Amino acid sequence: MSLRGHLLVAEPTLDDPNFARTVVYLIEHSEGGALGLVLNRPGEVPVHEAVPSWAPYVDGVGMVFVGGPVSPEGAICLARCRSAGPQESLFEGTPEHEPTALFKPITTTIGAVDLHGDPSDAPGGITALRVFAGYAGWSGGQLELELESGGWYVIEAEDDDVFTDTPERLWRDVLRRQPGSLRSVAYFPRDPRWN
């Protein structure tokens, strides 16, 4: 089953500095691998410096986020649209029936935007935009092994998770809204010795 459009929330004892206390939004997941973006690490470069033509579409936090450790010199952009349309694989070529190659739907309301394109060619109804430098990537089967070992919680994503104005609280906020014992994980101390 594909986890595309879901969140990976780091288990509190995950100590890899690239992923400790992160929330990752999966934009692709198949047998060939997975690709995601860290949602809760705003960087230090303003969007208006990195991609000035797209800056007017950014709502909320106006910084380029650190999307992950892979290809940090590259940028991926997510946009919220009133209706993104049918989901298409980001790993495949542009299908002929897709309305625009500038926007590739991930869910019915969120898609990836080609930052090399002209913003005036973007589909109507874009209500938010977020730019990420780098991404998190897993080869085929790698993410499944990490899930089996308990390194991540898989959680349904909400659009507001992707475009939150308070990324520093996202890890805790996502866990706090979960039912049962998973909610208590939100209060797990950063240093287990404090427990």
Side-chain angles (χ1 to χ4, degrees):
M1 176 183 117
S2 175
L3 297 176
R4 181 181 192 183
H6 284 72
L7 300 177
L8 298 179
V9 178
E11 197 272 335
T13 59
L14 182 68
D15 60 0
D16 179 333
N18 292 307
F19 297 110
R21 300 271 169 143
T22 58
V23 177
V24 177
Y25 180 70
L26 285 177
I27 62 174
E28 188 59 74
H29 180 226
S30 67
E31 288 182 8
L35 188 145
L37 298 168
V38 175
L39 300 178
N40 58 334
R41 292 208 172 148
E44 298 178 1
V45 177
V47 173
H48 69 82
E49 288 182 14
V51 282
S53 62
W54 288 95
Y57 290 89
V58 173
D59 184 33
V61 182
M63 307 305 279
V64 175
F65 278 62
V66 178
V70 182
S71 298
E73 67 287 345
I76 296 176
C77 177
L78 294 181
R80 177 171 34 201
C81 203
R82 286 192 188 92
S83 178
Q87 299 175 28
E88 300 292 346
S89 173
L90 299 177
F91 287 161
E92 296 171 5
T94 303
E96 290 179 20
H97 66 273
E98 189 171 306
T100 174
L102 185 66
F103 185 85
K104 291 194 179 277
I106 297 167
T107 68
T108 56
T109 54
I110 295 177
V113 173
D114 180 357
L115 292 171
H116 294 101
D118 185 335
S120 64
D121 293 333
I126 287 182
T127 60
L129 192 104
R130 187 142 290 171
V131 179
F132 300 85
Y135 63 90
W138 293 266
S139 60
Q142 184 181 5
L143 177 58
E144 288 71 17
L145 289 174
E146 290 183 20
L147 292 173
E148 286 175 21
S149 70
W152 301 97
Y153 303 112
V154 177
I155 293 176
E156 292 275 339
E158 296 179 2
D159 287 2
D160 288 343
D161 297 332
V162 178
F163 301 100
T164 180
D165 289 335
T166 54
E168 68 283 353
R169 293 191 343 224
L170 186 61
W171 184 85
R172 182 168 284 178
D173 288 348
V174 168
L175 288 169
R176 265 198 300 230
R177 74 173 186 243
Q178 302 311 306
S181 60
L182 192 52
R183 179 186 313 221
S184 64
V185 174
Y187 304 98
F188 196 87
R190 284 193 174 270
D191 187 336
R193 294 173 295 182
W194 298 347
N195 212 359

